[in-house]
Amino acid sequence: MRIPSLLDLETEQHAVADLPFHGSHVIIGTPGSGKTVMAVYRAWALATAGRDVTLLTRSHLLHQYLAQMAPDLTEALHTTTFHRWIRDFWRGHFRIDPPHIDDEGWCYDWADMQRDCVLREVRSTASLVIDEGQNLPVGFYQLCRLLGVNVTVFADEAQRIGDEESTVSEISRCLGVHANPLALWGNRRNSREIAMLASEFRTRNQCEMPVPTRTGSTPTVLKVPSLEYLLTGISRYFGAHPERSIGIVCRSTRLVRYVQSGLTRLGLSQYTQAYVYDDRYRKTVDFSTRPIRIVNTASMKGLEFDSVFVPDMDAYTEDPTGVDARLRLFVLCTRAREDLHFAHRGPREPAILSSIPESLLARHVG
């Protein structure tokens, strides 16, 4: 975790820090532009000004990351998840859980919630700062405006993967924001080579991604005989680069557990931690320790690692021209700062990678 000091912020970042404390604001930016950093600073500035501010996101893992990113800033902040905030707010005003339209209680009945708030004349003086705001539903932003909540949203439409998400224009409209979104465009995370590969997965509606000047190694795709062979390679890589954080991004929760077990057998248990939301033994990640972190694709947004390994490219069998498939690879690529490695065991390279030129993606056989 690396957060710059206020003195290190660039001009466009200072423009975000200097936004008025009243009203709602929308900030957009590409991966690596510093949205998460500025979300922390924005929440800190509001808290310093005496506002009742909460820093939130939808992802439970990203919430942990935000809470740990800058202890000297975030210790004064309340950080939580979208679902926890909604439920705490509703229970505080209505003494019951919020109405929902699914059996599990994760999809809320926004129309009923708005009606109940109007009938009870519920208002709020809260201020919310939301990271990865494209992940939240339109109904939530409509409710915030109805309640009088001041909201600062950091969003990137290029990372809209999943159901019940919002476009930037929908967010602005629901919050009553008429000004154009403030933009963070520089790529402060990826090497030039990683950014250029990520751009190969852009869809028609995405803006062109800035190409950094910092150079690094060419991303690779490895054909490996077995997963154990790859894990042995990751173990050797960690031995050569113990100062780097390593993200192993798996398609399935089952593989997350399997990879953790495999690295434990290789003697890396004290350096490894895995995240599985509904597993009490794997529900918490300490981003200051155990630099090898194993997550699934559903939890990767907003995170970053020095090196990223994708062990199961054979699982990416969707139509490689589909928007969801391309967005998923785009987001995955942009998690890596220095090194990016894909791996597959099948006889053929996955279709979504096969058209990438050798100059952007080096091929190796294990």
Side-chain angles (χ1 to χ4, degrees):
M1 292 178 290
R2 302 163 182 167
I3 186 165
S5 70
L6 279 171
L7 295 177
D8 293 328
L9 298 183
E10 298 179 18
T11 301
E12 64 178 11
Q13 293 175 304
H14 276 293
V16 174
D18 294 339
L19 283 170
F21 292 152
H22 63 275
S24 292
H25 309 277
V26 178
I27 298 94
I28 59 175
T30 55
S33 60
K35 295 187 302 297
T36 296
V37 167
M38 294 314 303
V40 172
Y41 269 118
R42 173 66 175 172
W44 171 77
L46 287 165
T48 302
R51 302 302 174 96
D52 175 19
V53 60
T54 298
L55 176 60
L56 68 80
T57 189
R58 184 159 193 159
S59 163
H60 188 264
L61 183 56
L62 182 55
H63 158 238
Q64 295 181 48
Y65 184 71
L66 288 170
Q68 298 174 42
M69 176 179 278
D72 54 336
L73 296 180
T74 56
E75 67 181 4
L77 300 176
H78 176 49
T79 62
T80 190
T81 62
F82 156 70
H83 287 292
R84 189 174 299 165
W85 188 88
I86 283 289
R87 292 176 182 185
D88 287 348
F89 178 87
W90 206 259
R91 290 165 183 164
H93 286 84
F94 296 93
R95 303 292 186 266
I96 58 173
D97 286 336
H100 53 87
I101 56 176
D102 65 329
D103 295 334
E104 293 77 21
W106 297 111
C107 296
Y108 304 110
D109 190 330
W110 299 109
D112 273 4
M113 293 171 72
Q114 290 182 45
R115 182 200 62 210
D116 291 346
C117 287
V118 170
L119 292 176
R120 294 277 190 95
E121 298 183 346
V122 176
R123 301 286 290 176
S124 174
T125 59
S127 294
L128 298 180
V129 177
I130 302 172
D131 193 24
E132 300 292 343
Q134 73 280 351
N135 295 343
L136 305 188
V138 166
F140 172 70
Y141 292 112
Q142 293 172 330
L143 181 65
C144 285
R145 186 179 183 185
L146 177 70
L147 295 172
V149 174
N150 290 324
V151 184
T152 303
V153 185
F154 293 80
D156 179 8
E157 286 190 18
Q159 298 189 59
R160 290 175 66 234
I161 302 174
D163 301 326
E164 207 181 24
E165 300 191 343
S166 304
T167 66
V168 170
S169 60
E170 287 172 336
I171 294 170
S172 297
R173 184 174 66 252
C174 292
L175 293 177
V177 177
H178 302 294
N180 290 330
L182 206 57
L184 296 168
W185 288 125
N187 186 339
R188 300 168 178 86
R189 177 190 301 151
N190 310 124
S191 68
R192 181 180 182 86
E193 290 77 6
I194 291 172
M196 290 176 66
L197 175 62
S199 292
E200 290 289 305
F201 301 108
R202 288 190 303 113
T203 60
R204 292 180 181 179
N205 296 328
Q206 285 180 254
C207 297
E208 187 170 349
M209 186 175 177
V211 179
T213 57
R214 180 175 63 85
T215 60
S217 58
T218 302
T220 63
V221 55
L222 314 168
K223 184 181 184 303
V224 297
S226 66
L227 183 57
E228 288 69 23
Y229 180 95
L230 176 64
L231 295 182
T232 300
I234 293 174
S235 176
R236 291 173 180 163
Y237 181 93
F238 175 67
H241 304 283
E243 76 288 352
R244 291 188 177 181
S245 63
I246 295 176
I248 304 175
V249 184
C250 306
R251 193 73 188 268
S252 69
T253 296
R254 180 188 64 81
L255 187 59
V256 168
R257 293 189 173 100
Y258 187 91
V259 168
Q260 185 184 32
S261 297
L263 292 176
T264 297
R265 289 193 295 271
L266 292 170
L268 295 178
S269 61
Q270 63 179 316
Y271 305 107
T272 303
Q273 51 189 334
Y275 175 78
V276 178
Y277 173 73
D278 57 356
D279 184 334
R280 63 174 177 163
Y281 299 108
R282 297 178 176 87
K283 201 171 183 179
T284 303
V285 172
D286 184 345
F287 287 93
S288 64
T289 63
R290 298 192 181 187
I292 304 174
R293 294 144 195 165
I294 312 160
V295 302
N296 61 28
T297 53
S299 302
M300 66 181 173
K301 284 189 286 186
L303 304 180
E304 58 181 57
F305 311 92
D306 292 324
S307 306
V308 168
F309 289 84
V310 186
D312 55 350
M313 283 306 300
D314 298 293
Y316 290 75
T317 57
E318 306 97 323
D319 177 1
T321 64
V323 172
D324 287 348
R326 299 184 72 80
L327 283 179
R328 186 173 289 107
L329 263 291
F330 175 81
V331 174
L332 204 162
C333 288
T334 56
R335 300 310 94 201
R337 285 191 286 259
E338 307 291 343
D339 287 331
L340 176 60
H341 306 277
F342 300 100
H344 70 98
R345 286 170 284 168
R348 294 184 178 180
E349 189 176 297
I352 199 163
L353 298 179
S354 60
S355 63
I356 305 297
E358 188 83 22
S359 60
L360 298 180
L361 185 63
R363 271 77 177 180
H364 299 287
V365 177

